[in-house]
Structure formats: C-alpha cells, structure tokens
Amino acid sequence: MILVAGPYRSGTGDDPHKLEANVRAMNESALVLFRAGHLPVTGEALALPLLDAAGSTRPGDPLFDEIFHPVAEQLLARCDAVLRIGGASRGADRMVARARSQGLAVYTGLADVPAAR
C-alpha cells in the first residue's frame, strides 16, 4: 500500500479549482500505481468526505485542522511506502519525514517505484 503525498492547499490560495487540480494529480499518480499492481491511497480520499460529513466549510477551519492531517498520519501508519509528488507542501513533506522515521520506502517519482510483487 503506497500513500501518494502531494500538495493540497499549498500555492492555491484555497481556490477550489486549484485544490481540485491537486487532488486530480494525486489520483492520476494513484491510478498509475494501481495499474502497476500496487494499492495506492491518498489521505484526501478519506479526509475530504469526512470533512464534508462533519460540516467543514473551508480548508483551514477548525474541523479541517481536526481531521485532514490526522487522517493522513493514521493512514501512513498502515502503508508500506510513500510516493511524493508535486511541488512545495509542508503536509506532504511531513508525511515523507514520518515515513522515513518509520523506516518506510519513499519514492520521488513514479519511475522509482519498483514493480509490485
């Protein structure tokens, strides 16, 4: 199971179209991983529906802070590796640092990910 970590809010000014583009980039990388035989996951795929159900009204509101990164951190604890994509992102960099501290593999490009077993 590989966590795809990339920018969500970074550089977007919280513009919904830019946020959506960042999620799409993570999902596109996840699809490549899936087709290569891996089980890809994103924190956004789990956190965003929870935020909606909780009544979050915007990125960075108290519910966002309660749910968004903690979901990714809990998910990472179950993963075997991280694929870091995209540009600057404190959250994605935090996932990479946590992965390394847990001894997980960290890949910085799709070409670096070994074939699924």
Side-chain angles (χ1 to χ4, degrees):
M1 187 158 56
I2 300 175
L3 176 70
V4 179
Y8 176 64
R9 292 180 69 192
S10 298
T12 66
D14 292 336
D15 176 294
H17 299 292
K18 291 178 181 179
L19 295 170
E20 183 180 313
N22 284 342
V23 171
R24 186 172 38 258
M26 286 182 268
N27 288 341
E28 288 169 356
S29 292
L31 179 59
V32 172
L33 291 173
F34 175 76
R35 288 182 170 159
H38 298 284
L39 176 59
V41 293
T42 67
E44 288 75 7
L46 298 175
L48 293 175
L50 290 176
L51 287 166
D52 183 55
S56 176
T57 58
R58 61 178 173 74
D61 71 11
L63 291 168
F64 184 93
D65 292 340
E66 173 193 353
I67 295 169
F68 191 79
H69 285 116
V71 164
E73 291 165 0
Q74 289 182 32
L75 181 58
L76 177 62
R78 308 248 192 287
C79 289
D80 303 299
V82 171
L83 171 62
R84 173 62 164 92
I85 68 161
S89 170
R90 287 189 310 242
D93 290 343
R94 189 165 64 217
M95 292 299 104
V96 166
R98 282 180 170 263
R100 287 188 172 130
S101 74
Q102 294 172 14
L104 303 179
V106 175
Y107 307 110
T108 57
L110 286 165
D112 300 332
V113 180
R117 297 180 205 177

